[in-house]
Amino acid sequence: MNKIYREITPLTANDCFMVFARKKNKFDFPLHFHDEFELNFIENAQGAKRVVGDNIDIIDNLELVMVGSNVPHGWFTHEANSEEIHEITIQFHRDLFDEKLLKRNQLSFIRSMLERSARGISFSPETIQMIKPRLIALSQKNGFDSVLELMSILHDLSVSRNIKTLMTSTFANDTLSYSSRRIEKAFEFMRNNYHQDVSLEDIAKIVNMTDVSFSRFIKKEPERHLSKV
């Protein structure tokens, strides 16, 4: 797990979200991150290892975790020996809910949960048992009804009890800083102008930072190996 891969998900700009339901006997996807929010339900995988940012844990028979945009995560077989692991993964765009919409009182709990998912969150067994049939049914829905049901599921999760934050705040802050839009913008600027002489000051201006601050930020980042899946 010394590499973190950037996943290019099949979710298109024309989709609100996608659901993937599958049965398998092992986990074989590497540690990765992607722009989209992800809600992941796992059943019958006791003993598997879950990694979310700097949090590593061994899961029980029921698992439901939400990770925010660009949060490194992955599940690994480890000591799980089930021949029928059940997994349902829901991915939705980070701008599915407009910022102005989330500021409305009726969506305050969803807004809080999405913000909290920047550090990864897991839900209690009681909540998982309650929401499990609806996650299964969601994979069979489509169209407008499926969007309404997703919003309803997210709301019910947001008001549920015993939501656990997984990552430490220090790791989350570093991850978010690295993956923020303005840093992405800096790299995009460098790619588009690689044939010209680009100074540190030029790049810092693009991201609204001083050249000293931007230099300090880049130097403190650990070396990362990011590849497209």
Side-chain angles (χ1 to χ4, degrees):
M1 295 190 294
N2 60 339
K3 292 185 179 181
I4 306 176
Y5 292 83
R6 181 186 182 95
E7 179 188 3
I8 306 301
T9 71
L11 184 64
T12 72
N14 296 322
D15 295 311
C16 287
F17 72 100
M18 296 194 76
V19 183
F20 310 93
R22 47 198 175 270
K23 298 285 182 69
K24 56 189 183 182
N25 59 13
K26 64 179 180 179
F27 296 95
D28 53 12
F29 204 72
L31 189 65
H32 63 284
F33 68 95
H34 42 70
D35 289 344
E36 296 76 15
F37 283 84
E38 179 174 301
L39 182 66
N40 208 32
F41 164 82
I42 299 173
E43 185 177 29
N44 297 329
Q46 185 175 16
K49 181 182 293 184
R50 181 226 303 136
V51 178
V52 177
D54 62 347
N55 175 268
I56 301 176
D57 208 349
I58 307 301
I59 71 173
D60 290 323
N61 275 328
L62 282 176
E63 166 95 333
L64 183 61
V65 165
M66 177 178 283
V67 293
S69 177
N70 291 317
V71 173
H73 61 282
W75 281 261
F76 306 91
T77 305
H78 192 51
E79 297 177 352
N81 54 19
S82 172
E83 290 298 317
E84 196 167 279
I85 298 171
H86 183 201
E87 185 174 30
I88 300 175
T89 302
I90 301 171
Q91 295 176 337
F92 57 96
H93 293 291
R94 61 184 180 185
D95 60 354
L96 177 61
F97 299 99
D98 181 79
E99 187 177 346
K100 291 183 179 179
L101 178 65
L102 287 175
K103 289 182 179 179
R104 305 294 190 245
N105 291 334
Q106 291 82 358
L107 276 78
S108 61
F109 288 103
I110 291 181
R111 181 182 71 245
S112 177
M113 180 179 70
L114 294 180
E115 290 173 349
R116 194 171 172 182
S117 71
R119 294 170 60 187
I121 51 178
S122 65
F123 300 90
S124 69
E126 295 76 17
T127 297
I128 301 174
Q129 290 285 14
M130 175 192 70
I131 217 75
K132 171 186 170 182
R134 297 171 63 188
L135 294 175
I136 295 173
L138 184 63
S139 64
Q140 308 301 319
K141 292 179 179 290
N142 53 57
F144 185 66
D145 288 343
S146 68
V147 178
L148 289 180
E149 178 62 5
L150 174 63
M151 292 182 66
S152 179
I153 287 173
L154 291 177
H155 175 265
D156 289 349
L157 288 175
S158 70
V159 298
S160 63
R161 297 182 177 181
N162 301 322
I163 299 177
K164 180 182 177 182
T165 302
L166 300 176
M167 293 161 53
T168 63
S169 58
T170 301
F171 186 93
N173 289 337
D174 286 346
T175 302
L176 289 173
S177 295
Y178 180 83
S179 305
S180 67
R181 289 178 183 266
R182 66 179 185 176
I183 298 304
E184 291 174 2
K185 192 174 181 180
F187 288 127
E188 181 181 3
F189 176 79
M190 287 186 283
R191 286 194 300 269
N192 293 338
N193 296 276
Y194 70 92
H195 56 287
Q196 301 178 10
D197 290 331
V198 178
S199 69
L200 179 63
E201 183 179 3
D202 293 332
I203 302 171
K205 285 180 179 178
I206 291 295
V207 296
N208 295 318
M209 296 173 69
T210 66
D211 52 353
V212 174
S213 296
F214 185 74
S215 177
R216 185 182 301 117
F217 171 79
I218 294 298
K219 288 178 180 178
K220 79 173 184 178
E221 284 297 323
E223 182 180 357
R224 298 169 186 259
H225 303 275
L226 304 178
S227 305
K228 291 184 179 179
V229 174

